Amino acid sequence: MKHVDVLVRGAGIVGQSLALALARLGLTVGLRTDAPRADAAPDVRAYALNAASVALLKSLKVWDALPAHAATPVYDMHVQGDAEGAAIDFSAWEQRTGELAWIVDAPVLERELGSAVRFSPHVHLLAAPQAEQVQADLVALCEGKASATRESLGVRFERHDYGHSAIAARLVSSVPHQGTARQWFRSPDVLALLPFDSPEPQHSFALVWSLPRERCAELMALDDEAFAAALMAATRGEAGDLRLASPRAEWPLAIAQASAWCGPGWVLLGDAAHLVHPLAGQGLNLGLADVAALAQVIEAREPWRPLSDEKLLRRYVRERALPTWAMGRVTDGLLNLFAQSAPGARELRNRGLDLVNRITPVKRWLTARALDR
Ligand SMILES: Cc1cc2nc3c(=O)[nH]c(=O)nc-3n(C[C@H](O)[C@H](O)[C@H](O)COP(=O)(O)OP(=O)(O)OC[C@H]3O[C@@H](n4cnc5c(N)ncnc54)[C@H](O)[C@@H]3O)c2cc1C
């Protein structure tokens, strides 16, 4: 293979989805894959995906291939502040929708995308040396936050390190989750329990617990029993008796934006272009929205316009830059609000939660933004 229309670098969820989306337009796509590292730990994460992401995965014929236990609907969400009784509840019923989100097994989704890519006649899987010899009209960089190609293009990744890390793990609870996601917002940690059906249907949760790095290191050093006890203290037993059902994994957290998202013959998508805090569960949703937008811009291009044309690629950037920036600001703002330990700030944020909870139209509007409907 000497030439492809698009070379996609990075075969994570964003890269594989892009390869499939472009192949559906009849383009020939090279997908550069990296051999999995032998020492890589299994990914224990489960992602909260919104309606737009699910629609994209459906259109790529991947969603319906997921086994039932790998995708769990969320019907309700209970968010607690750091004062007694300060809380906000979201429900699919109130929102007049089937579900608020789906919690999806990260490695299973990646695996199903991998099968779809292998069966797509327009996608050519290229190992590192082969990929370097292939000519492409457009190179799409989906290499994640540490993208080396982005760096070699001289694009800066303007990054603010939160000094926090997230602990992810799978848990099993003594009580059924009933499709309810729970989140505790306080200073200095944010803890989320996402309802999940694996390993035990109806009784599992995916944990995402973000904390200052030193506290995170202490919790990672505990044995499983002591960690479960710390978790029970943090959740006050409100989600039942919790025990670990997987190893724990840790991710350093930062917010970042690339200084440029495209140039002649190249474009950035997913975490290679932007990084947000996982508290709102939006990083991959933003990346999949990038995929949908780029595919749509390419499909709608003038017949004479080459894929490498920067004017074409700027249409994609115009569509994606603002919503991505806004999501970064919202998550950052929430974090800052809950990081303030002054009593006045504490009272204000908890009253704010209560107020939003009482004003149904505001709550509906906020939920609709998060659902991307
Ligand atoms: C704890 C945690 C929980 C999260 N929860 C959610 C959630 O609930 N919902 C949500 O929407 N998002 C969530 N996210 C964010 C989500 O994980 C990321 O946004 C998403 O994985 C980004 O996908 P990506 O394909 O852009 O990058 P990656 O997943 O990083 O994939 C990049 C791929 O490129 C490969 N690669 C790297 N360099 C090269 C190279 N030079 N050549 C070829 N290949 C290369 C890598 O090996 C990898 O396979 C969470 C993140 C964390 C840390």
Side-chain angles (χ1 to χ4, degrees):
M1 165 130 324
K2 290 272 181 280
H3 179 268
V4 288
D5 295 317
V6 183
L7 175 64
V8 178
R9 286 182 176 271
I13 294 175
V14 171
Q16 297 197 90
S17 301
L18 180 68
L20 288 172
L22 297 181
R24 278 167 55 83
L25 302 180
L27 299 172
T28 52
V29 182
L31 177 61
R32 182 182 149 167
T33 57
D34 269 2
R37 281 178 30 206
D39 62 345
D43 193 343
V44 293
R45 284 176 297 179
Y47 293 138
L49 294 190
N50 63 21
S53 295
V54 172
L56 175 73
L57 294 169
K58 278 187 179 162
S59 76
L60 302 178
K61 311 275 182 256
V62 171
W63 184 257
D64 293 328
L66 290 173
H69 66 79
T72 307
V74 180
Y75 300 118
D76 295 287
M77 183 163 182
H78 181 68
V79 181
Q80 264 171 256
D82 53 357
E84 200 53 47
I88 181 164
D89 289 290
F90 299 98
S91 86
W93 177 79
E94 195 176 82
Q95 202 63 24
R96 302 191 189 113
T97 182
E99 60 284 312
L100 292 174
W102 287 85
I103 308 303
V104 179
D105 192 305
V108 175
L109 175 58
E110 214 160 321
R111 192 186 66 208
E112 290 304 331
L113 278 163
S115 311
V117 154
R118 274 192 301 283
F119 284 111
S120 170
H122 292 296
V123 181
H124 306 276
L125 299 179
L126 305 168
Q130 266 175 309
E132 302 320 312
Q133 288 151 20
V134 165
Q135 300 284 317
D137 296 340
L138 176 63
V139 178
L141 302 179
C142 307
E143 295 176 347
K145 60 184 175 182
S147 170
T149 314
R150 179 191 63 214
E151 199 158 327
S152 70
L153 287 165
V155 176
R156 292 186 316 283
F157 202 44
E158 286 149 3
R159 187 183 165 105
H160 165 70
D161 190 326
Y162 285 118
H164 284 214
S165 290
I167 299 177
R170 303 280 167 93
L171 309 171
V172 169
S173 168
S174 58
V175 297
H177 58 61
Q178 296 180 318
T180 302
R182 293 169 176 276
Q183 201 164 23
W184 289 261
F185 264 97
R186 43 192 178 205
S187 176
D189 67 323
V190 181
L191 193 160
L193 293 181
L194 308 174
F196 202 49
D197 286 341
S198 173
E200 279 187 31
Q202 278 294 319
H203 281 265
S204 305
F205 284 107
L207 166 74
V208 184
W209 193 0
S210 69
L211 312 113
R213 220 151 270 158
E214 315 74 60
R215 179 67 186 136
C216 187
E218 286 167 15
L219 287 171
M220 288 299 283
L222 296 176
D223 64 26
D224 285 4
E225 233 166 76
F227 181 80
L231 201 50
M232 288 302 292
T235 58
R236 298 188 288 262
E238 287 161 14
D241 284 335
L242 299 167
R243 68 176 162 81
L244 275 167
S246 77
R248 286 159 266 164
E250 180 186 346
W251 277 267
L253 301 177
I255 181 170
Q257 279 267 8
S259 57
W261 286 28
C262 73
W266 63 268
V267 65
L268 297 178
L269 298 96
D271 276 17
H274 44 73
L275 203 57
V276 294
H277 192 288
L279 73 88
Q282 290 295 336
L284 181 58
N285 288 308
L286 290 173
L288 291 176
D290 295 347
V291 169
L294 183 61
Q296 205 265 328
V297 160
I298 287 179
E299 185 176 24
R301 79 189 187 282
E302 302 84 344
W304 47 265
R305 200 178 282 284
L307 290 168
S308 58
D309 189 339
E310 203 179 338
K311 269 195 185 154
L312 175 73
L313 302 172
R314 274 202 238 116
R315 290 177 191 161
Y316 151 77
V317 177
R318 272 199 296 277
E319 195 167 319
R320 294 302 304 143
L322 186 61
T324 305
W325 177 86
M327 184 56 72
R329 295 276 62 83
V330 167
T331 50
D332 204 46
L334 271 174
L335 266 183
N336 284 331
L337 187 63
F338 279 87
Q340 310 295 326
S341 49
R346 188 160 175 253
E347 189 174 333
L348 197 67
R349 67 190 174 230
N350 287 301
R351 281 204 182 177
L353 269 187
D354 247 8
L355 196 65
V356 174
N357 199 32
R358 282 163 213 240
I359 309 176
T360 309
V362 173
K363 209 160 72 162
R364 276 218 190 108
W365 183 85
L366 277 175
T367 320
R369 302 283 79 70
L371 292 174
D372 203 8
R373 280 183 201 276

